[in-house]
């Protein structure tokens, strides 16, 4: 992409993994942004900090009669890794910050590579320096 | 004139706030702004012809561009022939196009 058309887009997400269609939609939006050649920044807070938790594990499904490999249960950490790989392939950057307080509350400090720990102040800085920002809030 | 992108993800049969989102879209358009309402997730249930879908036709008549995420439509088995007049299926890329262009984006 021509550098003049390349944008930096920030997404703020807060839904925990395995719970909401919003996580899937957020990943689809990041995927679309990267495929269009943009740099992507993700600020994860509240439950969304567990999306990159490295200890997520695939499991068998006795109801389906499948072992873990056959079940091939999708894990959000792998989906984030796929987005990171897509960014590299497209010559884009994908930065990911997890809110540190939210991480500590949930005990999910062991995050995959390519992610950082930060504060809500980072979201403010990103929003200030990005071309646009989309906040995807959760609901009870 | 400002360009607004309103993203509607809520099921109109479950959340009364959906009507407020539609009202916001209508008011922004009436004020002379360029407004797109993009329905995603269960928000696309409003796009199927029903008791709630006429509100989308009204928005379209008022100048709001009403789009429904084609992926979400497929997930829910809603074919284009069943869409309310005034609603167009669209890929999720439309959201990114609006963000690229600097639209004010609001998720509901």
């Amino acid at each position: 992409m021509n550098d003049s058309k390349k944008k930096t887009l920030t997404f703020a997400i807060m839904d925990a993994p395995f719970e909401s269609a919003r996580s899937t939609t957020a990943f689809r939006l990041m995927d679309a942004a990267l495929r269009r050649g943009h740099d992507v920044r993700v600020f994860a807070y509240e439950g969304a900090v567990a999306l990159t938790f490295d200890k997520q594990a695939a499991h068998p499904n006795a109801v389906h009669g499948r072992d873990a490999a056959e079940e091939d249960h999708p894990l959000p950490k792998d989906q984030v890794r796929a987005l990171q790989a897509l960014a590299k392939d497209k010559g884009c950057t994908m930065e990911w910050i997890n809110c540190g307080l939210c991480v500590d509350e949930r005990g999910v400090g062991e995050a995959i590579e390519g992610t950082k720990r930060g504060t809500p102040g980072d979201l403010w800085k990103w929003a200030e320096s990005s071309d646009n920002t989309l906040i995807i809030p959760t609901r009870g | 004139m400002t360009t607004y992108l309103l993203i509607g993800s809520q099921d109109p049969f479950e959340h009364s706030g959906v009507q407020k989102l539609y009202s916001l879209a209508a008011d922004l358009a009436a004020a002379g702004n360029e407004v797109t309402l993009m329905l995603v997730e269960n928000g696309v249930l409003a796009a199927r012809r029903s008791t709630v879908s006429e509100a989308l036709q009204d928005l379209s008549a008022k100048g709001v561009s009403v789009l429904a995420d084609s992926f979400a439509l497929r997930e829910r088995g809603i074919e284009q022939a069943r869409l309310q007049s005034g609603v167009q299926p669209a890929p999720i890329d439309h959201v990114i196009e609006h963000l690229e262009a600097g639209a004010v984006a609001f998720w509901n």
Side-chain angles (χ1 to χ4, degrees), chain B residues 30-70:
Chain B
N33 299 294
E34 184 178 323
V35 183
T36 295
L37 173 63
M38 178 81 179
L39 304 173
V40 301
E41 300 168 14
N42 281 341
V44 303
L45 294 175
R48 182 179 52 194
R49 280 193 301 276
S50 69
T51 54
V52 301
S53 62
E54 288 182 6
L56 298 178
Q57 188 173 7
D58 290 343
L59 283 179
S60 178
K62 291 174 179 172
V64 175
S65 175
V66 183
L67 306 176
D69 176 21
S70 49

Side-chain angles (χ1 to χ4, degrees), chain A residues 88-137:
Chain A
K88 188 175 181 183
D89 184 56
K90 293 289 184 183
C92 304
T93 60
M94 181 167 177
E95 298 174 88
W96 186 294
I97 290 180
N98 287 317
C99 167
L101 294 178
C102 309
V103 166
D104 292 343
E105 286 173 336
R106 291 161 178 81
V108 291
E110 294 154 289
I112 63 171
E113 284 186 27
T115 62
K116 294 178 184 174
R117 190 186 158 87
T119 74
D122 292 309
L123 173 59
W124 179 78
K125 291 173 187 169
W126 273 358
E128 284 286 298
S129 59
S130 295
D131 293 290
N132 213 334
T133 298
L134 178 63
I135 307 290
I136 304 179

Side-chain angles (χ1 to χ4, degrees), chain A residues 1 7 9 11 20-26 28-30 32-33 36 38 131-137 139-140, chain B residues 7 9-10 15 40-41 69 71-72 76 91-93 95-108:
Chain A
M1 169 178 277
K7 304 289 185 183
L9 303 178
F11 298 89
S20 169
R22 284 183 291 279
S23 302
T24 304
T25 305
R28 290 177 60 219
L29 288 168
M30 295 166 202
R36 295 172 69 86
H38 302 310
D131 293 290
N132 213 334
T133 298
L134 178 63
I135 307 290
I136 304 179
R139 289 178 296 274
Chain B
I7 304 171
S9 66
Q10 293 183 313
H15 299 275
V40 301
E41 300 168 14
D69 176 21
F71 178 87
R76 290 157 182 79
I92 201 78
D93 287 59
V95 173
I96 303 302
E97 286 177 16
H98 278 79
L99 294 177
E100 287 170 4
V104 176
F106 173 78
W107 181 290
N108 178 249

Side-chain angles (χ1 to χ4, degrees), chain A residues 65-84:
Chain A
R66 298 170 181 159
D67 63 23
E70 292 169 331
E71 184 68 6
D72 195 20
H73 192 65
L75 298 175
K77 67 173 182 179
D78 293 332
Q79 293 165 331
V80 174
R81 282 185 176 131
L83 290 168
Q84 292 170 328

